[in-house]
Amino acid sequence: MPDRGATDPEAWGSAPRDPEALDGIRERALRLLARREHGVKELGDKLMRRAGTHPDDVREIVQELADRELVSDRRYAQAFARDAVRIKPRARRLLVGELVARGVPAPLAGRAVDAVFAEEEVDDAGLAHRIAEAYLPRIAGRSDAARWRRLAGYLQRRGYDNERIYEICSALLPEVDAGAG
Protein backbone atom coordinates (compact mmCIF):
# COMPACT_ATOMS: atom_id res chain seq x y z
CA MET A 1 0.00 0.00 0.00
CA PRO A 2 1.46 3.39 -0.98
CA ASP A 3 2.28 5.95 1.68
CA ARG A 4 -0.27 8.70 1.22
CA GLY A 5 1.38 11.19 3.55
CA ALA A 6 0.03 14.09 5.53
CA THR A 7 -1.56 15.90 2.58
CA ASP A 8 -4.08 13.15 1.79
CA PRO A 9 -7.34 13.70 3.74
CA GLU A 10 -8.09 9.96 3.69
CA ALA A 11 -4.83 9.30 5.56
CA TRP A 12 -5.87 11.61 8.40
CA GLY A 13 -8.67 9.37 9.56
CA SER A 14 -10.10 10.56 12.86
CA ALA A 15 -7.01 12.37 14.11
CA PRO A 16 -7.67 14.95 16.82
CA ARG A 17 -8.64 18.39 15.49
CA ASP A 18 -6.11 21.19 15.75
CA PRO A 19 -7.76 24.27 17.32
CA GLU A 20 -5.03 26.48 15.86
CA ALA A 21 -5.82 25.19 12.36
CA LEU A 22 -9.51 25.99 12.89
CA ASP A 23 -8.60 29.49 14.10
CA GLY A 24 -6.41 30.00 11.02
CA ILE A 25 -9.18 28.88 8.67
CA ARG A 26 -11.69 31.11 10.49
CA GLU A 27 -9.36 34.13 10.24
CA ARG A 28 -8.76 33.55 6.54
CA ALA A 29 -12.51 33.18 5.93
CA LEU A 30 -13.23 36.43 7.76
CA ARG A 31 -10.53 38.24 5.75
CA LEU A 32 -12.10 36.98 2.52
CA LEU A 33 -15.57 38.03 3.66
CA ALA A 34 -14.31 41.47 4.67
CA ARG A 35 -13.35 42.13 1.03
CA ARG A 36 -16.66 41.12 -0.57
CA GLU A 37 -19.61 38.75 -0.31
CA HIS A 38 -18.90 35.10 -1.04
CA GLY A 39 -21.22 32.17 -1.59
CA VAL A 40 -20.97 29.15 0.67
CA LYS A 41 -19.39 26.95 -2.01
CA GLU A 42 -17.05 29.67 -3.25
CA LEU A 43 -15.78 30.38 0.27
CA GLY A 44 -15.26 26.68 0.96
CA ASP A 45 -13.38 26.26 -2.31
CA LYS A 46 -11.11 29.21 -1.55
CA LEU A 47 -10.38 27.94 1.94
CA MET A 48 -9.54 24.47 0.60
CA ARG A 49 -6.84 25.87 -1.72
CA ARG A 50 -4.45 26.23 1.17
CA ALA A 51 -2.24 23.13 1.38
CA GLY A 52 -2.87 20.87 4.34
CA THR A 53 -6.39 22.15 4.99
CA HIS A 54 -8.70 19.39 6.14
CA PRO A 55 -12.09 19.36 4.37
CA ASP A 56 -13.95 18.69 7.63
CA ASP A 57 -12.33 21.76 9.21
CA VAL A 58 -13.39 23.91 6.27
CA ARG A 59 -16.94 22.53 6.36
CA GLU A 60 -17.14 23.22 10.09
CA ILE A 61 -15.96 26.83 9.75
CA VAL A 62 -18.15 27.58 6.72
CA GLN A 63 -21.19 26.13 8.52
CA GLU A 64 -20.36 28.19 11.62
CA LEU A 65 -20.14 31.36 9.50
CA ALA A 66 -23.38 30.49 7.69
CA ASP A 67 -25.14 29.90 11.03
CA ARG A 68 -23.95 33.34 12.17
CA GLU A 69 -25.14 34.75 8.78
CA LEU A 70 -21.66 35.98 7.92
CA VAL A 71 -21.73 34.05 4.65
CA SER A 72 -24.93 33.90 2.65
CA ASP A 73 -25.72 32.57 -0.81
CA ARG A 74 -28.66 35.01 -1.02
CA ARG A 75 -26.53 38.10 -0.34
CA TYR A 76 -23.76 36.80 -2.58
CA ALA A 77 -26.19 36.16 -5.47
CA GLN A 78 -27.74 39.60 -5.12
CA ALA A 79 -24.34 41.34 -4.96
CA PHE A 80 -23.15 39.38 -8.00
CA ALA A 81 -26.32 40.18 -9.98
CA ARG A 82 -26.26 43.85 -8.94
CA ASP A 83 -22.65 44.24 -10.10
CA ALA A 84 -23.45 42.40 -13.32
CA VAL A 85 -26.43 44.62 -14.13
CA ARG A 86 -24.48 47.79 -13.41
CA ILE A 87 -21.05 46.92 -14.83
CA LYS A 88 -21.49 44.26 -17.53
CA PRO A 89 -25.20 43.77 -18.20
CA ARG A 90 -26.38 40.46 -19.58
CA ALA A 91 -29.53 38.39 -19.91
CA ARG A 92 -31.32 37.06 -16.86
CA ARG A 93 -30.83 33.46 -17.96
CA LEU A 94 -27.06 33.96 -18.30
CA LEU A 95 -26.81 35.55 -14.85
CA VAL A 96 -28.75 32.71 -13.27
CA GLY A 97 -26.55 30.18 -15.06
CA GLU A 98 -23.38 31.91 -13.87
CA LEU A 99 -24.62 31.87 -10.28
CA VAL A 100 -25.55 28.19 -10.47
CA ALA A 101 -22.08 27.46 -11.86
CA ARG A 102 -20.67 29.25 -8.80
CA GLY A 103 -22.58 26.94 -6.46
CA VAL A 104 -25.74 28.95 -5.74
CA PRO A 105 -28.91 26.80 -5.87
CA ALA A 106 -30.93 27.53 -9.02
CA PRO A 107 -34.15 28.68 -7.29
CA LEU A 108 -32.18 31.04 -5.04
CA ALA A 109 -30.19 32.36 -8.02
CA GLY A 110 -33.39 33.06 -9.97
CA ARG A 111 -35.01 34.87 -7.04
CA ALA A 112 -31.87 36.95 -6.45
CA VAL A 113 -31.61 38.03 -10.09
CA ASP A 114 -35.33 38.87 -10.17
CA ALA A 115 -34.95 40.94 -6.98
CA VAL A 116 -32.03 42.88 -8.44
CA PHE A 117 -33.85 43.47 -11.73
CA ALA A 118 -36.80 44.85 -9.74
CA GLU A 119 -34.50 46.96 -7.53
CA GLU A 120 -32.65 48.36 -10.55
CA GLU A 121 -35.97 48.78 -12.41
CA VAL A 122 -34.81 46.82 -15.46
CA ASP A 123 -36.14 43.86 -17.39
CA ASP A 124 -34.49 41.63 -19.96
CA ALA A 125 -35.88 43.56 -22.94
CA GLY A 126 -34.93 46.97 -21.57
CA LEU A 127 -31.49 45.78 -20.57
CA ALA A 128 -30.88 44.25 -24.01
CA HIS A 129 -31.94 47.49 -25.67
CA ARG A 130 -29.71 49.56 -23.39
CA ILE A 131 -26.59 47.47 -23.97
CA ALA A 132 -27.25 47.30 -27.71
CA GLU A 133 -27.52 51.09 -27.92
CA ALA A 134 -24.28 51.45 -25.98
CA TYR A 135 -22.58 49.02 -28.39
CA LEU A 136 -23.70 50.76 -31.61
CA PRO A 137 -20.96 53.45 -31.61
CA ARG A 138 -18.34 50.69 -31.51
CA ILE A 139 -19.58 49.30 -34.83
CA ALA A 140 -20.33 52.59 -36.58
CA GLY A 141 -18.79 52.97 -40.03
CA ARG A 142 -19.12 49.29 -40.91
CA SER A 143 -21.41 47.98 -43.62
CA ASP A 144 -25.05 47.47 -42.72
CA ALA A 145 -24.72 43.69 -42.80
CA ALA A 146 -21.57 43.80 -40.63
CA ARG A 147 -23.29 46.04 -38.06
CA TRP A 148 -26.25 43.65 -37.88
CA ARG A 149 -23.97 40.62 -37.58
CA ARG A 150 -21.76 42.19 -34.90
CA LEU A 151 -24.68 43.49 -32.85
CA ALA A 152 -26.39 40.09 -33.03
CA GLY A 153 -23.20 38.34 -31.95
CA TYR A 154 -22.69 40.80 -29.09
CA LEU A 155 -26.21 40.22 -27.78
CA GLN A 156 -25.84 36.47 -28.18
CA ARG A 157 -22.65 36.50 -26.08
CA ARG A 158 -24.60 38.42 -23.45
CA GLY A 159 -27.08 35.55 -23.21
CA TYR A 160 -30.03 36.77 -25.28
CA ASP A 161 -32.09 34.39 -27.39
CA ASN A 162 -32.58 34.72 -31.14
CA GLU A 163 -36.06 36.21 -30.85
CA ARG A 164 -34.85 39.04 -28.58
CA ILE A 165 -31.78 39.59 -30.78
CA TYR A 166 -33.91 39.93 -33.92
CA GLU A 167 -36.29 42.29 -32.10
CA ILE A 168 -33.45 44.57 -30.95
CA CYS A 169 -31.50 44.50 -34.21
CA SER A 170 -34.68 45.28 -36.19
CA ALA A 171 -35.47 48.22 -33.93
CA LEU A 172 -31.96 49.70 -33.90
CA LEU A 173 -30.88 48.86 -37.45
CA PRO A 174 -34.15 49.16 -39.41
CA GLU A 175 -32.37 50.04 -42.67
CA VAL A 176 -30.63 46.66 -42.58
CA ASP A 177 -33.87 44.81 -41.81
CA ALA A 178 -35.71 46.63 -44.64
CA GLY A 179 -32.95 45.75 -47.09
CA ALA A 180 -33.16 42.07 -46.22
CA GLY A 181 -36.79 41.75 -47.37
mmCIF file of all heavy atoms in Angstrom, residues 41-72:
data_model
loop_
_atom_site.group_PDB
_atom_site.id
_atom_site.type_symbol
_atom_site.label_atom_id
_atom_site.label_comp_id
_atom_site.label_asym_id
_atom_site.label_seq_id
_atom_site.Cartn_x
_atom_site.Cartn_y
_atom_site.Cartn_z
ATOM 1 N N LYS A 41 -20.289 27.829 -1.258
ATOM 2 C CA LYS A 41 -19.392 26.947 -2.011
ATOM 3 C C LYS A 41 -18.106 27.681 -2.372
ATOM 4 O O LYS A 41 -17.011 27.137 -2.244
ATOM 5 C CB LYS A 41 -20.079 26.431 -3.270
ATOM 6 C CG LYS A 41 -19.190 25.486 -4.077
ATOM 7 C CD LYS A 41 -19.871 25.044 -5.356
ATOM 8 C CE LYS A 41 -19.042 24.088 -6.181
ATOM 9 N NZ LYS A 41 -17.673 24.474 -6.409
ATOM 10 N N GLU A 42 -18.232 28.899 -2.847
ATOM 11 C CA GLU A 42 -17.054 29.665 -3.249
ATOM 12 C C GLU A 42 -16.099 29.848 -2.069
ATOM 13 O O GLU A 42 -14.885 29.669 -2.209
ATOM 14 C CB GLU A 42 -17.474 31.030 -3.806
ATOM 15 C CG GLU A 42 -16.299 31.865 -4.269
ATOM 16 C CD GLU A 42 -16.686 33.275 -4.659
ATOM 17 O OE1 GLU A 42 -17.464 33.913 -3.908
ATOM 18 O OE2 GLU A 42 -16.209 33.733 -5.691
ATOM 19 N N LEU A 43 -16.624 30.193 -0.908
ATOM 20 C CA LEU A 43 -15.784 30.382 0.266
ATOM 21 C C LEU A 43 -15.099 29.074 0.645
ATOM 22 O O LEU A 43 -13.889 29.048 0.908
ATOM 23 C CB LEU A 43 -16.604 30.920 1.440
ATOM 24 C CG LEU A 43 -15.820 31.195 2.717
ATOM 25 C CD1 LEU A 43 -14.775 32.284 2.480
ATOM 26 C CD2 LEU A 43 -16.769 31.598 3.838
ATOM 27 N N GLY A 44 -15.853 27.979 0.647
ATOM 28 C CA GLY A 44 -15.265 26.682 0.958
ATOM 29 C C GLY A 44 -14.157 26.308 -0.017
ATOM 30 O O GLY A 44 -13.094 25.818 0.384
ATOM 31 N N ASP A 45 -14.395 26.561 -1.300
ATOM 32 C CA ASP A 45 -13.375 26.257 -2.315
ATOM 33 C C ASP A 45 -12.111 27.076 -2.093
ATOM 34 O O ASP A 45 -10.992 26.568 -2.194
ATOM 35 C CB ASP A 45 -13.914 26.518 -3.719
ATOM 36 C CG ASP A 45 -14.967 25.505 -4.147
ATOM 37 O OD1 ASP A 45 -15.132 24.471 -3.467
ATOM 38 O OD2 ASP A 45 -15.641 25.763 -5.167
ATOM 39 N N LYS A 46 -12.274 28.349 -1.792
ATOM 40 C CA LYS A 46 -11.105 29.207 -1.551
ATOM 41 C C LYS A 46 -10.332 28.763 -0.315
ATOM 42 O O LYS A 46 -9.111 28.766 -0.306
ATOM 43 C CB LYS A 46 -11.524 30.675 -1.400
ATOM 44 C CG LYS A 46 -11.821 31.343 -2.712
ATOM 45 C CD LYS A 46 -12.064 32.820 -2.520
ATOM 46 C CE LYS A 46 -12.266 33.494 -3.858
ATOM 47 N NZ LYS A 46 -12.388 34.946 -3.715
ATOM 48 N N LEU A 47 -11.046 28.383 0.717
ATOM 49 C CA LEU A 47 -10.380 27.937 1.937
ATOM 50 C C LEU A 47 -9.652 26.616 1.730
ATOM 51 O O LEU A 47 -8.609 26.372 2.341
ATOM 52 C CB LEU A 47 -11.388 27.819 3.085
ATOM 53 C CG LEU A 47 -12.002 29.141 3.554
ATOM 54 C CD1 LEU A 47 -13.117 28.875 4.552
ATOM 55 C CD2 LEU A 47 -10.949 30.067 4.127
ATOM 56 N N MET A 48 -10.159 25.766 0.854
ATOM 57 C CA MET A 48 -9.539 24.472 0.595
ATOM 58 C C MET A 48 -8.254 24.593 -0.223
ATOM 59 O O MET A 48 -7.462 23.672 -0.258
ATOM 60 C CB MET A 48 -10.510 23.538 -0.138
ATOM 61 C CG MET A 48 -11.522 22.871 0.757
ATOM 62 S SD MET A 48 -10.794 21.925 2.103
ATOM 63 C CE MET A 48 -9.798 20.751 1.212
ATOM 64 N N ARG A 49 -8.034 25.704 -0.875
ATOM 65 C CA ARG A 49 -6.841 25.866 -1.722
ATOM 66 C C ARG A 49 -5.543 25.875 -0.917
ATOM 67 O O ARG A 49 -4.493 25.618 -1.456
ATOM 68 C CB ARG A 49 -6.946 27.152 -2.539
ATOM 69 C CG ARG A 49 -7.956 27.046 -3.629
ATOM 70 C CD ARG A 49 -7.952 28.274 -4.503
ATOM 71 N NE ARG A 49 -9.138 28.280 -5.334
ATOM 72 C CZ ARG A 49 -9.844 29.342 -5.625
ATOM 73 N NH1 ARG A 49 -9.470 30.523 -5.182
ATOM 74 N NH2 ARG A 49 -10.906 29.250 -6.366
ATOM 75 N N ARG A 50 -5.653 26.204 0.341
ATOM 76 C CA ARG A 50 -4.452 26.226 1.173
ATOM 77 C C ARG A 50 -4.026 24.795 1.470
ATOM 78 O O ARG A 50 -4.821 23.985 1.937
ATOM 79 C CB ARG A 50 -4.739 26.994 2.460
ATOM 80 C CG ARG A 50 -3.542 27.022 3.356
ATOM 81 C CD ARG A 50 -3.240 28.303 4.041
ATOM 82 N NE ARG A 50 -3.130 29.473 3.215
ATOM 83 C CZ ARG A 50 -3.385 30.684 3.658
ATOM 84 N NH1 ARG A 50 -3.800 30.856 4.890
ATOM 85 N NH2 ARG A 50 -3.238 31.722 2.892
ATOM 86 N N ALA A 51 -2.765 24.485 1.199
ATOM 87 C CA ALA A 51 -2.242 23.127 1.379
ATOM 88 C C ALA A 51 -2.386 22.686 2.836
ATOM 89 O O ALA A 51 -2.163 23.465 3.761
ATOM 90 C CB ALA A 51 -0.775 23.076 0.964
ATOM 91 N N GLY A 52 -2.757 21.438 3.004
ATOM 92 C CA GLY A 52 -2.871 20.870 4.339
ATOM 93 C C GLY A 52 -4.171 21.179 5.055
ATOM 94 O O GLY A 52 -4.336 20.838 6.219
ATOM 95 N N THR A 53 -5.105 21.824 4.377
ATOM 96 C CA THR A 53 -6.387 22.151 4.994
ATOM 97 C C THR A 53 -7.293 20.933 4.934
ATOM 98 O O THR A 53 -7.495 20.358 3.875
ATOM 99 C CB THR A 53 -7.046 23.339 4.268
ATOM 100 O OG1 THR A 53 -6.140 24.426 4.253
ATOM 101 C CG2 THR A 53 -8.322 23.765 4.963
ATOM 102 N N HIS A 54 -7.820 20.559 6.061
ATOM 103 C CA HIS A 54 -8.696 19.388 6.138
ATOM 104 C C HIS A 54 -10.117 19.790 5.729
ATOM 105 O O HIS A 54 -10.645 20.788 6.234
ATOM 106 C CB HIS A 54 -8.686 18.818 7.557
ATOM 107 C CG HIS A 54 -9.284 17.462 7.659
ATOM 108 N ND1 HIS A 54 -10.630 17.239 7.561
ATOM 109 C CD2 HIS A 54 -8.699 16.250 7.828
ATOM 110 C CE1 HIS A 54 -10.872 15.954 7.676
ATOM 111 N NE2 HIS A 54 -9.714 15.326 7.844
ATOM 112 N N PRO A 55 -10.741 19.026 4.825
ATOM 113 C CA PRO A 55 -12.094 19.363 4.365
ATOM 114 C C PRO A 55 -13.119 19.470 5.505
ATOM 115 O O PRO A 55 -14.005 20.321 5.448
ATOM 116 C CB PRO A 55 -12.461 18.213 3.418
ATOM 117 C CG PRO A 55 -11.171 17.610 3.022
ATOM 118 C CD PRO A 55 -10.218 17.848 4.148
ATOM 119 N N ASP A 56 -12.998 18.624 6.516
ATOM 120 C CA ASP A 56 -13.946 18.688 7.632
ATOM 121 C C ASP A 56 -13.796 19.994 8.403
ATOM 122 O O ASP A 56 -14.785 20.559 8.884
ATOM 123 C CB ASP A 56 -13.751 17.504 8.576
ATOM 124 C CG ASP A 56 -14.189 16.186 7.961
ATOM 125 O OD1 ASP A 56 -14.985 16.204 6.992
ATOM 126 O OD2 ASP A 56 -13.736 15.134 8.454
ATOM 127 N N ASP A 57 -12.558 20.480 8.530
ATOM 128 C CA ASP A 57 -12.331 21.758 9.208
ATOM 129 C C ASP A 57 -12.976 22.894 8.423
ATOM 130 O O ASP A 57 -13.628 23.770 8.993
ATOM 131 C CB ASP A 57 -10.830 22.033 9.372
ATOM 132 C CG ASP A 57 -10.157 21.078 10.346
ATOM 133 O OD1 ASP A 57 -10.871 20.384 11.104
ATOM 134 O OD2 ASP A 57 -8.909 21.032 10.341
ATOM 135 N N VAL A 58 -12.801 22.864 7.113
ATOM 136 C CA VAL A 58 -13.394 23.909 6.266
ATOM 137 C C VAL A 58 -14.909 23.854 6.362
ATOM 138 O O VAL A 58 -15.561 24.890 6.538
ATOM 139 C CB VAL A 58 -12.912 23.768 4.803
ATOM 140 C CG1 VAL A 58 -13.713 24.671 3.878
ATOM 141 C CG2 VAL A 58 -11.429 24.085 4.703
ATOM 142 N N ARG A 59 -15.477 22.652 6.259
ATOM 143 C CA ARG A 59 -16.941 22.533 6.364
ATOM 144 C C ARG A 59 -17.440 23.071 7.694
ATOM 145 O O ARG A 59 -18.462 23.763 7.756
ATOM 146 C CB ARG A 59 -17.358 21.070 6.188
ATOM 147 C CG ARG A 59 -17.544 20.660 4.749
ATOM 148 C CD ARG A 59 -18.236 19.308 4.623
ATOM 149 N NE ARG A 59 -17.383 18.208 5.050
ATOM 150 C CZ ARG A 59 -16.463 17.629 4.288
ATOM 151 N NH1 ARG A 59 -16.265 18.052 3.066
ATOM 152 N NH2 ARG A 59 -15.739 16.625 4.755
ATOM 153 N N GLU A 60 -16.734 22.764 8.757
ATOM 154 C CA GLU A 60 -17.139 23.223 10.085
ATOM 155 C C GLU A 60 -17.132 24.753 10.164
ATOM 156 O O GLU A 60 -18.082 25.365 10.656
ATOM 157 C CB GLU A 60 -16.206 22.637 11.146
ATOM 158 C CG GLU A 60 -16.555 23.059 12.564
ATOM 159 C CD GLU A 60 -15.617 22.455 13.590
ATOM 160 O OE1 GLU A 60 -15.173 21.305 13.402
ATOM 161 O OE2 GLU A 60 -15.344 23.145 14.587
ATOM 162 N N ILE A 61 -16.067 25.360 9.674
ATOM 163 C CA ILE A 61 -15.957 26.825 9.747
ATOM 164 C C ILE A 61 -16.993 27.490 8.848
ATOM 165 O O ILE A 61 -17.654 28.456 9.254
ATOM 166 C CB ILE A 61 -14.529 27.287 9.364
ATOM 167 C CG1 ILE A 61 -13.506 26.770 10.386
ATOM 168 C CG2 ILE A 61 -14.459 28.800 9.228
ATOM 169 C CD1 ILE A 61 -13.749 27.205 11.817
ATOM 170 N N VAL A 62 -17.164 26.992 7.631
ATOM 171 C CA VAL A 62 -18.145 27.583 6.716
ATOM 172 C C VAL A 62 -19.552 27.450 7.303
ATOM 173 O O VAL A 62 -20.344 28.399 7.249
ATOM 174 C CB VAL A 62 -18.041 26.960 5.307
ATOM 175 C CG1 VAL A 62 -19.198 27.394 4.430
ATOM 176 C CG2 VAL A 62 -16.714 27.341 4.659
ATOM 177 N N GLN A 63 -19.868 26.302 7.898
ATOM 178 C CA GLN A 63 -21.186 26.127 8.524
ATOM 179 C C GLN A 63 -21.364 27.092 9.694
ATOM 180 O O GLN A 63 -22.422 27.681 9.872
ATOM 181 C CB GLN A 63 -21.382 24.684 8.980
ATOM 182 C CG GLN A 63 -22.769 24.408 9.529
ATOM 183 C CD GLN A 63 -23.848 24.657 8.499
ATOM 184 O OE1 GLN A 63 -23.789 24.136 7.396
ATOM 185 N NE2 GLN A 63 -24.836 25.475 8.834
ATOM 186 N N GLU A 64 -20.315 27.249 10.497
ATOM 187 C CA GLU A 64 -20.363 28.189 11.619
ATOM 188 C C GLU A 64 -20.642 29.614 11.120
ATOM 189 O O GLU A 64 -21.482 30.329 11.667
ATOM 190 C CB GLU A 64 -19.029 28.150 12.370
ATOM 191 C CG GLU A 64 -18.860 29.225 13.419
ATOM 192 C CD GLU A 64 -17.421 29.284 13.933
ATOM 193 O OE1 GLU A 64 -16.837 28.216 14.196
ATOM 194 O OE2 GLU A 64 -16.897 30.412 14.052
ATOM 195 N N LEU A 65 -19.952 30.013 10.058
ATOM 196 C CA LEU A 65 -20.144 31.357 9.502
ATOM 197 C C LEU A 65 -21.535 31.504 8.884
ATOM 198 O O LEU A 65 -22.152 32.576 8.982
ATOM 199 C CB LEU A 65 -19.054 31.673 8.479
ATOM 200 C CG LEU A 65 -17.635 31.744 9.047
ATOM 201 C CD1 LEU A 65 -16.615 31.885 7.927
ATOM 202 C CD2 LEU A 65 -17.508 32.882 10.051
ATOM 203 N N ALA A 66 -22.035 30.450 8.256
ATOM 204 C CA ALA A 66 -23.384 30.487 7.688
ATOM 205 C C ALA A 66 -24.424 30.589 8.800
ATOM 206 O O ALA A 66 -25.399 31.347 8.688
ATOM 207 C CB ALA A 66 -23.628 29.261 6.824
ATOM 208 N N ASP A 67 -24.224 29.844 9.897
ATOM 209 C CA ASP A 67 -25.142 29.900 11.034
ATOM 210 C C ASP A 67 -25.177 31.300 11.643
ATOM 211 O O ASP A 67 -26.218 31.740 12.128
ATOM 212 C CB ASP A 67 -24.755 28.884 12.109
ATOM 213 C CG ASP A 67 -24.972 27.442 11.663
ATOM 214 O OD1 ASP A 67 -25.688 27.225 10.658
ATOM 215 O OD2 ASP A 67 -24.413 26.532 12.306
ATOM 216 N N ARG A 68 -24.039 31.970 11.641
ATOM 217 C CA ARG A 68 -23.953 33.339 12.168
ATOM 218 C C ARG A 68 -24.318 34.382 11.103
ATOM 219 O O ARG A 68 -24.209 35.578 11.345
ATOM 220 C CB ARG A 68 -22.541 33.598 12.693
ATOM 221 C CG ARG A 68 -22.234 32.745 13.923
ATOM 222 C CD ARG A 68 -20.792 32.767 14.360
ATOM 223 N NE ARG A 68 -20.181 34.085 14.375
ATOM 224 C CZ ARG A 68 -18.866 34.294 14.369
ATOM 225 N NH1 ARG A 68 -18.035 33.275 14.347
ATOM 226 N NH2 ARG A 68 -18.380 35.518 14.390
ATOM 227 N N GLU A 69 -24.744 33.901 9.915
ATOM 228 C CA GLU A 69 -25.141 34.746 8.780
ATOM 229 C C GLU A 69 -24.030 35.679 8.311
ATOM 230 O O GLU A 69 -24.285 36.780 7.826
ATOM 231 C CB GLU A 69 -26.424 35.510 9.101
ATOM 232 C CG GLU A 69 -27.603 34.580 9.319
ATOM 233 C CD GLU A 69 -28.910 35.307 9.531
ATOM 234 O OE1 GLU A 69 -28.979 36.514 9.256
ATOM 235 O OE2 GLU A 69 -29.851 34.652 9.974
ATOM 236 N N LEU A 70 -22.788 35.220 8.431
ATOM 237 C CA LEU A 70 -21.656 35.985 7.918
ATOM 238 C C LEU A 70 -21.355 35.621 6.469
ATOM 239 O O LEU A 70 -20.716 36.388 5.752
ATOM 240 C CB LEU A 70 -20.420 35.758 8.796
ATOM 241 C CG LEU A 70 -20.552 36.282 10.222
ATOM 242 C CD1 LEU A 70 -19.340 35.896 11.056
ATOM 243 C CD2 LEU A 70 -20.740 37.796 10.218
ATOM 244 N N VAL A 71 -21.802 34.453 6.054
ATOM 245 C CA VAL A 71 -21.728 34.051 4.649
ATOM 246 C C VAL A 71 -23.136 33.640 4.237
ATOM 247 O O VAL A 71 -23.831 32.947 4.981
ATOM 248 C CB VAL A 71 -20.696 32.914 4.417
ATOM 249 C CG1 VAL A 71 -21.052 31.665 5.170
ATOM 250 C CG2 VAL A 71 -20.538 32.619 2.943
ATOM 251 N N SER A 72 -23.560 34.130 3.074
ATOM 252 C CA SER A 72 -24.932 33.904 2.647
ATOM 253 C C SER A 72 -24.991 33.804 1.126
ATOM 254 O O SER A 72 -24.550 34.725 0.427
ATOM 255 C CB SER A 72 -25.814 35.067 3.126
ATOM 256 O OG SER A 72 -27.029 35.109 2.439
#
